[in-house]
């Protein structure tokens, strides 16, 4: 909700951009764990924060993730 409000967007605007219902957006914004990942990612894309989420979950973006990946992942997965 904070990202939406900071951007001056209404719930209707974001739900339309994300291709989801207003009720689903409300569930995403309140942290309902029953909401599907696709809805969550659609909202992130509509708000322009999808890249930040992808980067935040990439293990290669941290020193620990890179070190551990080099230790335990086979070469074909690391490349």
């Amino acid at each position: 909700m904070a990202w939406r409000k900071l951007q001056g967007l209404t719930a209707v605007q974001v739900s339309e951009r994300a291709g989801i219902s207003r009720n689903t957006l409300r569930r995403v914004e309140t942290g309902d764990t029953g909401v599907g990942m696709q809805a969550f990612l659609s909202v992130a894309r509509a708000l322009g924060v999808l890249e930040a989420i992808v980067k935040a979950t990439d293990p290669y973006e941290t020193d620990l993730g890179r070190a551990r990946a080099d230790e335990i992942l086979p070469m074909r997965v690391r490349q």
Side-chain angles (χ1 to χ4, degrees), residues 33-51:
T33 57
V35 175
M37 187 63 116
Q38 184 171 350
F40 172 77
L41 295 175
S42 293
V43 171
R45 180 179 288 118
L47 294 173
V49 297
L50 183 58
E51 281 298 317

Side-chain angles (χ1 to χ4, degrees), residues 1 3-4 14 17 19 22-24 26-27 32 34-35 37-38 40 45 48 50 58 71 75-76 78:
M1 185 177 340
W3 276 112
R4 176 174 61 80
V14 173
R17 290 178 186 183
R22 172 63 188 95
N23 185 53
T24 300
R26 181 186 57 74
R27 292 175 57 211
D32 184 332
V35 175
M37 187 63 116
Q38 184 171 350
F40 172 77
R45 180 179 288 118
L50 183 58
D58 183 351
E71 290 175 8
M75 183 62 86
R76 70 180 189 287
R78 285 187 259 156

Side-chain angles (χ1 to χ4, degrees), residues 11 52 63:
D63 292 336

Side-chain angles (χ1 to χ4, degrees), residues 46-65:
L47 294 173
V49 297
L50 183 58
E51 281 298 317
I53 291 170
V54 170
K55 187 173 182 176
T57 59
D58 183 351
Y60 290 107
E61 290 294 324
T62 66
D63 292 336
L64 177 61

